Coordinates of all heavy atoms in Angstrom, one line a residue:
M1 N 0.9 -1.2 0.0 CA 0.0 0.0 0.0 C 0.9 1.2 0.0 O 1.9 1.3 0.8 CB -0.9 0.0 1.3 CG -1.8 1.2 1.3 SD -2.8 1.3 2.9 CE -1.4 1.9 4.0
A2 N 0.6 2.2 -1.0 CA 1.4 3.4 -1.0 C 0.8 4.5 -0.2 O -0.5 4.7 -0.2 CB 1.4 3.8 -2.5
L3 N 1.6 5.1 0.7 CA 1.0 6.2 1.5 C 1.1 7.4 0.8 O 1.9 7.7 -0.1 CB 1.9 6.3 2.8 CG 2.0 5.1 3.7 CD1 2.9 5.4 4.8 CD2 0.6 4.8 4.3
P4 N 0.1 8.3 1.0 CA 0.1 9.6 0.2 C 1.2 10.5 0.8 O 1.6 10.4 1.9 CB -1.3 10.1 0.6 CG -1.7 9.6 1.8 CD -1.0 8.2 1.9
G5 N 1.6 11.4 -0.1 CA 2.6 12.3 0.3 C 2.0 13.4 1.2 O 0.8 13.5 1.4
P6 N 2.9 14.2 1.9 CA 2.3 15.2 2.9 C 1.4 16.2 2.3 O 0.6 16.7 3.1 CB 3.6 15.8 3.4 CG 4.7 15.4 2.5 CD 4.3 14.3 1.8
D7 N 1.5 16.6 1.1 CA 0.6 17.5 0.4 C -0.6 16.9 -0.4 O -1.4 17.6 -0.9 CB 1.4 18.5 -0.4 CG 2.4 19.3 0.3 OD1 2.1 19.6 1.4 OD2 3.5 19.6 -0.2
E8 N -0.6 15.5 -0.4 CA -1.6 14.8 -1.1 C -2.8 14.5 -0.3 O -2.7 14.2 0.9 CB -1.0 13.5 -1.6 CG -1.9 12.6 -2.5 CD -1.3 11.4 -2.9 OE1 -0.1 11.1 -2.7 OE2 -2.0 10.5 -3.5
A9 N -4.0 14.7 -0.8 CA -5.2 14.4 -0.2 C -5.3 13.0 0.2 O -5.0 12.1 -0.6 CB -6.4 14.9 -0.9
V10 N -5.8 12.6 1.3 CA -5.9 11.2 1.7 C -7.4 10.9 1.3 O -8.4 11.5 1.6 CB -5.9 11.0 3.3 CG1 -6.1 9.6 3.7 CG2 -4.5 11.5 3.8
Q11 N -7.5 9.8 0.5 CA -8.7 9.4 -0.1 C -9.1 8.1 0.5 O -8.3 7.2 0.8 CB -8.6 9.2 -1.6 CG -8.1 10.3 -2.4 CD -9.2 11.5 -2.4 OE1 -10.3 11.2 -2.5 NE2 -8.7 12.7 -2.2
F12 N -10.4 8.0 0.8 CA -10.9 6.7 1.4 C -10.7 5.5 0.7 O -10.1 4.6 1.2 CB -12.4 6.9 1.8 CG -12.9 5.7 2.4 CD1 -12.8 5.6 3.9 CD2 -13.6 4.7 1.9 CE1 -13.3 4.5 4.5 CE2 -14.0 3.5 2.5 CZ -13.9 3.4 3.8
E13 N -11.1 5.5 -0.6 CA -11.0 4.3 -1.3 C -9.5 3.8 -1.6 O -9.1 2.7 -1.6 CB -11.7 4.4 -2.8 CG -13.2 4.3 -2.6 CD -13.7 3.0 -2.1 OE1 -13.2 1.9 -2.4 OE2 -14.8 2.9 -1.3
Q14 N -8.7 4.9 -1.9 CA -7.3 4.6 -2.3 C -6.4 4.4 -1.0 O -5.5 3.5 -1.0 CB -6.7 5.8 -3.0 CG -5.4 5.6 -3.4 CD -4.9 6.7 -4.3 OE1 -5.6 7.7 -4.5 NE2 -3.5 6.7 -4.7
H15 N -6.7 5.1 0.0 CA -5.8 5.0 1.3 C -6.3 4.4 2.5 O -5.6 3.8 3.2 CB -5.2 6.5 1.7 CG -4.6 7.1 0.4 ND1 -5.2 8.2 -0.1 CD2 -3.4 6.9 -0.3 CE1 -4.3 8.6 -1.2 NE2 -3.3 7.7 -1.2
I16 N -7.6 4.6 2.8 CA -8.1 4.1 4.1 C -8.7 2.8 4.0 O -8.4 1.9 4.8 CB -9.2 5.2 4.6 CG1 -8.6 6.6 4.8 CG2 -9.8 4.8 5.9 CD1 -7.3 6.6 5.7
R17 N -9.6 2.5 3.0 CA -10.3 1.3 3.0 C -9.2 0.1 2.9 O -9.5 -0.9 3.6 CB -11.2 1.2 1.8 CG -12.0 -0.1 1.6 CD -12.8 -0.1 0.5 NE -13.3 -1.5 0.3 CZ -14.1 -1.9 -0.7 NH1 -14.5 -0.9 -1.6 NH2 -14.5 -3.1 -0.8
P18 N -8.1 0.3 2.2 CA -7.2 -0.9 2.2 C -6.5 -1.2 3.5 O -6.0 -2.3 3.8 CB -6.1 -0.4 1.2 CG -6.7 0.6 0.4 CD -7.8 1.3 1.2
L19 N -6.7 -0.3 4.5 CA -6.1 -0.5 5.8 C -6.9 -1.6 6.6 O -6.4 -2.3 7.5 CB -6.1 0.8 6.6 CG -5.3 2.0 6.1 CD1 -5.6 3.2 7.0 CD2 -3.8 1.6 6.3
F20 N -8.2 -1.7 6.2 CA -9.0 -2.7 6.9 C -9.1 -4.0 6.2 O -9.5 -4.0 5.0 CB -10.5 -2.1 7.1 CG -10.5 -0.7 7.9 CD1 -10.7 0.4 7.3 CD2 -10.2 -0.9 9.3 CE1 -10.7 1.6 8.1 CE2 -10.2 0.3 10.0 CZ -10.4 1.5 9.5
R21 N -8.6 -5.0 6.7 CA -8.7 -6.4 6.2 C -10.2 -6.9 6.2 O -11.0 -6.5 7.0 CB -7.9 -7.3 7.0 CG -6.4 -6.8 7.1 CD -5.6 -7.5 8.2 NE -6.3 -7.3 9.5 CZ -6.0 -7.8 10.7 NH1 -4.9 -8.7 10.7 NH2 -6.6 -7.6 11.7
P22 N -10.4 -7.9 5.4 CA -11.7 -8.6 5.3 C -12.1 -9.0 6.7 O -13.2 -8.9 7.2 CB -11.6 -9.8 4.4 CG -10.5 -9.3 3.4 CD -9.5 -8.5 4.3
M23 N -11.2 -9.6 7.5 CA -11.4 -10.0 8.9 C -11.9 -8.9 9.8 O -12.7 -9.0 10.7 CB -10.2 -10.7 9.5 CG -10.3 -11.1 10.9 SD -8.8 -11.9 11.5 CE -7.9 -10.5 12.0
D24 N -11.2 -7.7 9.6 CA -11.6 -6.5 10.4 C -13.0 -6.1 10.1 O -13.8 -5.7 10.9 CB -10.7 -5.3 10.1 CG -9.2 -5.6 10.4 OD1 -8.9 -6.3 11.3 OD2 -8.4 -5.1 9.7
R25 N -13.3 -6.1 8.7 CA -14.6 -5.8 8.3 C -15.7 -6.7 8.9 O -16.7 -6.2 9.5 CB -14.7 -5.7 6.9 CG -16.1 -5.4 6.2 CD -16.2 -5.5 4.7 NE -17.4 -5.0 4.3 CZ -18.1 -5.4 3.3 NH1 -17.6 -6.6 2.6 NH2 -19.2 -5.0 2.9
S26 N -15.4 -8.0 8.8 CA -16.4 -9.0 9.3 C -16.7 -8.8 10.8 O -17.8 -9.0 11.1 CB -15.9 -10.4 9.0 OG -15.8 -10.6 7.6
S27 N -15.6 -8.6 11.5 CA -15.8 -8.5 13.0 C -16.5 -7.3 13.4 O -17.1 -7.2 14.4 CB -14.5 -8.6 13.7 OG -13.7 -7.5 13.4
M28 N -16.7 -6.2 12.5 CA -17.4 -5.0 12.9 C -18.7 -4.8 12.2 O -19.5 -3.9 12.5 CB -16.5 -3.9 12.6 CG -15.3 -3.7 13.4 SD -15.6 -3.6 15.2 CE -16.6 -2.1 15.2
L29 N -19.1 -5.7 11.3 CA -20.3 -5.6 10.6 C -21.6 -5.4 11.5 O -22.7 -4.9 11.0 CB -20.5 -6.7 9.5 CG -19.8 -6.5 8.2 CD1 -20.0 -7.6 7.3 CD2 -20.3 -5.2 7.5
F30 N -21.5 -5.9 12.6 CA -22.7 -5.9 13.6 C -22.9 -4.4 13.9 O -24.1 -4.1 14.2 CB -22.5 -6.7 14.9 CG -21.4 -6.1 15.8 CD1 -21.9 -5.3 16.8 CD2 -20.1 -6.2 15.7 CE1 -21.0 -4.7 17.7 CE2 -19.2 -5.6 16.5 CZ -19.7 -4.9 17.6
A31 N -22.0 -3.6 13.8 CA -22.2 -2.2 14.2 C -22.1 -1.2 13.0 O -22.9 -0.3 12.8 CB -21.1 -1.7 15.2
F32 N -21.2 -1.5 12.1 CA -21.0 -0.6 10.8 C -20.0 -1.3 9.9 O -19.4 -2.3 10.3 CB -20.6 0.8 11.2 CG -19.3 0.9 12.0 CD1 -18.1 0.9 11.3 CD2 -19.3 0.9 13.4 CE1 -16.9 1.0 12.1 CE2 -18.2 1.2 14.1 CZ -16.9 1.1 13.4
D33 N -19.9 -0.8 8.7 CA -19.1 -1.4 7.6 C -17.8 -0.6 7.5 O -17.9 0.5 7.1 CB -20.0 -1.5 6.4 CG -19.3 -2.2 5.3 OD1 -18.0 -2.5 5.4 OD2 -19.9 -2.4 4.2
L34 N -16.7 -1.3 7.7 CA -15.4 -0.5 7.7 C -15.1 -0.3 6.2 O -14.1 0.4 6.0 CB -14.3 -1.4 8.3 CG -14.3 -1.4 9.9 CD1 -13.4 -2.4 10.4 CD2 -13.9 0.0 10.4
W35 N -15.8 -0.8 5.2 CA -15.5 -0.6 3.9 C -16.4 0.4 3.3 O -16.5 0.7 2.1 CB -15.5 -1.9 3.0 CG -14.3 -2.8 3.3 CD1 -13.3 -2.6 4.2 CD2 -14.2 -4.1 2.8 NE1 -12.4 -3.6 4.2 CE2 -12.9 -4.6 3.3 CE3 -14.7 -4.8 1.8 CZ2 -12.4 -5.8 2.9 CZ3 -14.3 -6.1 1.4 CH2 -13.1 -6.6 2.0
N36 N -17.2 1.0 4.1 CA -18.2 2.0 3.7 C -17.7 3.4 4.2 O -17.7 3.6 5.4 CB -19.6 1.7 4.2 CG -20.7 2.6 3.8 OD1 -20.7 3.8 4.3 ND2 -21.5 2.3 2.9
E37 N -17.5 4.3 3.2 CA -17.0 5.6 3.7 C -17.8 6.4 4.6 O -17.4 7.0 5.6 CB -16.6 6.4 2.3 CG -16.0 7.8 2.7 CD -15.5 8.5 1.5 OE1 -15.8 8.1 0.4 OE2 -14.8 9.6 1.8
A38 N -19.2 6.4 4.4 CA -20.0 7.1 5.2 C -20.0 6.5 6.7 O -20.0 7.2 7.6 CB -21.4 7.1 4.6
D39 N -20.1 5.1 6.8 CA -20.0 4.6 8.0 C -18.7 4.9 8.8 O -18.8 5.2 10.0 CB -20.1 3.1 8.0 CG -21.5 2.5 7.7 OD1 -22.5 3.4 7.6 OD2 -21.7 1.3 7.6
V40 N -17.6 4.8 8.1 CA -16.3 5.0 8.8 C -16.2 6.5 9.1 O -15.7 6.9 10.3 CB -15.1 4.6 7.9 CG1 -13.8 5.0 8.6 CG2 -15.2 3.1 7.6
A41 N -16.7 7.4 8.3 CA -16.7 8.8 8.6 C -17.6 9.1 9.8 O -17.1 9.9 10.7 CB -17.2 9.6 7.3
R42 N -18.6 8.4 9.9 CA -19.6 8.7 11.0 C -18.9 8.3 12.4 O -19.2 8.9 13.4 CB -20.9 7.9 10.8 CG -22.0 8.3 11.8 CD -23.3 7.6 11.5 NE -23.7 7.9 10.0 CZ -23.7 7.0 9.1 NH1 -23.3 5.8 9.2 NH2 -24.2 7.3 7.9
H43 N -18.1 7.3 12.3 CA -17.5 6.7 13.6 C -16.0 7.0 13.6 O -15.3 6.4 14.4 CB -17.7 5.2 13.6 CG -19.2 4.8 13.6 ND1 -19.9 4.9 14.8 CD2 -20.0 4.4 12.7 CE1 -21.1 4.5 14.6 NE2 -21.3 4.2 13.2
C44 N -15.5 7.9 12.8 CA -14.0 8.1 12.7 C -13.3 8.4 14.0 O -12.2 7.9 14.2 CB -13.7 9.0 11.5 SG -14.2 10.7 11.8
Q45 N -13.9 9.2 14.8 CA -13.2 9.6 16.0 C -13.2 8.5 17.1 O -12.1 8.3 17.7 CB -14.0 10.9 16.6 CG -13.7 12.1 15.7 CD -12.3 12.4 15.4 OE1 -11.4 12.4 16.3 NE2 -12.0 12.8 14.2
Q46 N -14.2 7.7 17.1 CA -14.2 6.5 17.9 C -13.2 5.4 17.4 O -12.5 4.8 18.2 CB -15.6 5.9 18.0 CG -16.6 6.7 18.8 CD -17.4 7.6 17.8 OE1 -17.0 7.9 16.7 NE2 -18.4 8.2 18.2
I47 N -13.2 5.3 16.1 CA -12.2 4.3 15.5 C -10.8 4.9 15.7 O -9.9 4.1 16.2 CB -12.5 4.2 14.0 CG1 -13.8 3.6 13.7 CG2 -11.3 3.4 13.3 CD1 -14.2 3.6 12.2
L48 N -10.5 6.2 15.6 CA -9.3 6.7 15.8 C -8.8 6.4 17.3 O -7.6 6.2 17.5 CB -9.3 8.2 15.4 CG -7.8 8.9 15.6 CD1 -6.7 8.2 14.9 CD2 -8.1 10.3 15.2
A49 N -9.7 6.7 18.2 CA -9.4 6.5 19.6 C -8.9 5.0 19.9 O -7.9 4.8 20.6 CB -10.4 6.9 20.5
R50 N -9.6 4.1 19.3 CA -9.3 2.7 19.5 C -8.0 2.3 18.8 O -7.1 1.6 19.4 CB -10.4 1.8 18.9 CG -11.8 1.9 19.6 CD -12.2 1.0 20.7 NE -11.7 -0.4 20.5 CZ -12.4 -1.4 20.0 NH1 -13.6 -1.2 19.5 NH2 -11.9 -2.6 20.0
L51 N -7.8 3.0 17.7 CA -6.5 2.7 16.9 C -5.3 3.3 17.7 O -4.2 2.5 17.9 CB -6.4 3.4 15.5 CG -7.4 2.8 14.5 CD1 -7.5 3.6 13.2 CD2 -7.0 1.3 14.1
K52 N -5.4 4.5 18.2 CA -4.4 5.1 19.1 C -4.2 4.2 20.4 O -3.1 4.2 20.8 CB -4.8 6.5 19.4 CG -4.6 7.5 18.3 CD -5.0 8.9 18.8 CE -4.7 9.9 17.6 NZ -5.1 11.2 18.0
A53 N -5.2 3.8 21.0 CA -5.0 2.8 22.2 C -4.5 1.5 21.8 O -4.1 0.7 22.8 CB -6.4 2.8 22.8
G54 N -4.5 1.1 20.5 CA -3.9 -0.2 20.2 C -5.0 -1.3 20.4 O -4.6 -2.5 20.3
T55 N -6.2 -1.0 20.6 CA -7.3 -2.0 20.8 C -8.0 -2.4 19.6 O -8.9 -3.2 19.7 CB -8.3 -1.5 21.9 OG1 -8.9 -0.3 21.5 CG2 -7.5 -1.3 23.3
M56 N -7.7 -1.7 18.5 CA -8.3 -2.1 17.1 C -7.2 -2.1 16.2 O -6.5 -1.1 16.1 CB -9.3 -1.0 16.9 CG -10.1 -1.3 15.6 SD -11.3 0.1 15.3 CE -12.1 -0.6 13.9
P57 N -7.1 -3.1 15.3 CA -7.9 -4.3 15.4 C -7.5 -5.2 16.6 O -6.5 -5.0 17.3 CB -7.4 -5.0 14.1 CG -6.1 -4.5 13.7 CD -6.1 -3.0 14.3
C58 N -8.4 -6.1 16.9 CA -8.3 -6.9 18.1 C -7.0 -7.8 18.2 O -6.7 -8.3 19.2 CB -9.5 -7.8 18.2 SG -9.9 -8.9 17.0
D59 N -6.5 -8.1 17.0 CA -5.4 -9.1 16.9 C -3.9 -8.4 16.9 O -3.0 -9.0 16.8 CB -5.5 -10.0 15.8 CG -5.4 -9.4 14.4 OD1 -5.6 -8.1 14.4 OD2 -5.1 -10.0 13.4
G60 N -3.9 -7.0 17.1 CA -2.7 -6.3 17.1 C -2.8 -4.9 16.7 O -3.5 -4.7 15.8
A61 N -2.1 -4.1 17.3 CA -2.1 -2.6 16.9 C -1.4 -2.3 15.6 O -0.6 -3.1 15.1 CB -1.3 -1.9 18.0
W62 N -1.9 -1.3 14.9 CA -1.4 -0.9 13.6 C -0.1 -0.2 13.9 O 0.2 0.4 15.0 CB -2.3 0.2 13.1 CG -3.5 -0.4 12.3 CD1 -3.8 -1.7 12.1 CD2 -4.5 0.4 11.6 NE1 -5.0 -1.7 11.4 CE2 -5.4 -0.4 11.0 CE3 -4.7 1.8 11.4 CZ2 -6.5 0.0 10.3 CZ3 -5.7 2.2 10.7 CH2 -6.6 1.3 10.1
P63 N 0.8 -0.2 12.9 CA 2.0 0.6 13.1 C 1.7 2.1 13.1 O 0.6 2.5 12.6 CB 2.8 0.3 11.7 CG 2.1 -0.9 11.1 CD 0.7 -1.0 11.7
A64 N 2.6 2.8 13.7 CA 2.2 4.3 13.9 C 1.9 5.1 12.6 O 1.1 5.9 12.5 CB 3.5 5.0 14.6
E65 N 2.6 4.7 11.5 CA 2.3 5.5 10.2 C 1.0 5.2 9.7 O 0.3 6.1 9.2 CB 3.3 5.1 9.2 CG 3.4 3.7 8.7 CD 4.3 2.8 9.5 OE1 4.9 3.2 10.4 OE2 4.4 1.6 9.1
R66 N 0.4 4.0 10.0 CA -1.0 3.7 9.6 C -2.0 4.5 10.4 O -3.1 5.0 10.0 CB -1.3 2.2 9.6 CG -0.7 1.5 8.5 CD -1.1 0.1 8.5 NE -0.6 -0.6 7.3 CZ -1.0 -1.8 6.9 NH1 -2.1 -2.4 7.5 NH2 -0.4 -2.3 5.9
V67 N -1.8 4.6 11.7 CA -2.6 5.3 12.7 C -2.6 6.8 12.3 O -3.6 7.6 12.2 CB -2.2 5.2 14.1 CG1 -3.0 6.0 15.0 CG2 -2.3 3.7 14.6
A68 N -1.4 7.3 11.9 CA -1.2 8.7 11.6 C -2.0 9.0 10.3 O -2.6 10.1 10.0 CB 0.2 9.1 11.4
L69 N -1.9 8.1 9.4 CA -2.6 8.3 8.0 C -4.1 8.3 8.2 O -4.9 9.2 7.8 CB -2.4 7.1 7.1 CG -3.1 7.0 5.8 CD1 -2.8 8.4 5.0 CD2 -2.8 5.8 5.0
F70 N -4.6 7.3 9.1 CA -6.1 7.4 9.5 C -6.4 8.7 10.2 O -7.5 9.3 10.0 CB -6.6 6.2 10.4 CG -8.0 6.1 10.5 CD1 -8.8 5.4 9.6 CD2 -8.6 6.8 11.6 CE1 -10.1 5.4 9.8 CE2 -10.0 6.6 11.8 CZ -10.8 5.9 10.9
A71 N -5.6 9.2 11.1 CA -5.9 10.4 11.8 C -6.0 11.6 10.9 O -6.8 12.5 11.0 CB -4.8 10.7 12.8
R72 N -5.1 11.6 9.9 CA -5.0 12.7 8.9 C -6.4 12.6 8.2 O -7.0 13.7 7.9 CB -4.0 12.3 7.9 CG -3.0 13.5 7.6 CD -1.9 13.1 6.7 NE -2.1 13.5 5.3 CZ -1.4 13.2 4.3 NH1 -0.4 12.3 4.5 NH2 -1.7 13.5 3.1
W73 N -6.8 11.5 7.8 CA -8.1 11.4 7.1 C -9.3 11.8 7.9 O -10.2 12.6 7.7 CB -8.3 10.0 6.5 CG -9.7 9.9 5.8 CD1 -10.0 10.3 4.5 CD2 -10.8 9.3 6.4 NE1 -11.3 9.9 4.2 CE2 -11.8 9.3 5.3 CE3 -11.1 8.7 7.6 CZ2 -13.1 8.9 5.6 CZ3 -12.4 8.3 7.7 CH2 -13.4 8.2 6.7
A74 N -9.3 11.1 9.2 CA -10.4 11.5 10.2 C -10.4 12.9 10.6 O -11.6 13.5 10.7 CB -10.1 10.6 11.5
N75 N -9.4 13.6 10.7 CA -9.3 14.9 11.1 C -9.8 15.9 10.0 O -10.2 17.0 10.3 CB -8.0 15.3 11.7 CG -7.7 14.7 12.9 OD1 -8.6 14.4 13.8 ND2 -6.4 14.4 13.2
G76 N -9.9 15.4 8.8 CA -10.5 16.2 7.7 C -12.0 15.9 7.5 O -12.5 16.5 6.6
Q77 N -12.6 15.0 8.3 CA -14.0 14.7 8.0 C -14.8 15.6 9.0 O -14.3 16.1 10.0 CB -14.2 13.3 8.6 CG -13.5 12.2 7.8 CD -13.8 12.3 6.2 OE1 -15.0 12.1 6.0 NE2 -12.9 12.7 5.4
N78 N -16.0 15.8 8.5 CA -17.1 16.4 9.3 C -18.2 15.5 9.4 O -19.2 15.6 8.7 CB -17.6 17.7 8.6 CG -16.4 18.8 8.6 OD1 -15.8 19.0 9.6 ND2 -16.2 19.3 7.4
P79 N -18.0 14.4 10.2 CA -19.1 13.4 10.3 C -20.5 14.0 10.8 O -20.5 14.9 11.6 CB -18.5 12.4 11.4 CG -17.5 13.1 12.1 CD -17.0 14.2 11.2
P80 N -21.5 13.3 10.2 CA -22.8 13.8 10.6 C -23.0 13.4 12.2 O -22.5 12.5 12.7 CB -23.7 12.9 9.8 CG -22.9 11.8 9.1 CD -21.5 12.2 9.3
T81 N -23.8 14.3 12.7 CA -24.2 14.1 14.1 C -25.4 13.4 14.4 O -26.2 13.3 13.5 CB -24.1 15.5 15.0 OG1 -25.0 16.4 14.3 CG2 -22.7 16.0 14.9

């Protein structure tokens, strides 16, 4: 997976969705779909908190650069309330 440059916009389909494996998606479908941009945007701050805490995904924490990439995307979102 190629990470976007510092001045490149972070795109969901290109950069964020590939971070979530099929196993991650399956385990969260009871609540929302990790491959659906609107669902992830709606829950992005909660997802980010879990990623930073290392509790998501459940089988091991993401490397710091992936968490930073998700944070970059999440901090650019205006999720519906």
Side-chain angles (χ1 to χ4, degrees):
M1 181 186 76
L3 298 177
D7 295 327
E8 185 181 350
V10 180
Q11 302 294 320
F12 182 81
E13 286 297 323
Q14 184 178 0
H15 304 113
I16 301 304
R17 182 177 169 185
L19 296 174
F20 298 110
R21 304 165 299 178
M23 179 179 80
D24 302 327
R25 180 184 188 218
S26 294
S27 67
M28 291 304 297
L29 277 175
F30 75 94
F32 56 88
D33 187 350
L34 286 170
W35 288 0
N36 179 287
E37 184 173 4
D39 279 1
V40 176
R42 189 174 305 107
H43 299 282
C44 66
Q45 294 305 316
Q46 294 90 343
I47 294 169
L48 181 57
R50 300 261 325 263
L51 291 171
K52 285 181 174 180
T55 60
M56 185 179 182
C58 62
D59 64 339
W62 279 1
E65 64 271 5
R66 287 186 175 197
V67 176
L69 175 61
F70 188 87
R72 232 174 100 189
W73 179 80
N75 291 331
Q77 297 301 303
N78 294 310
T81 57

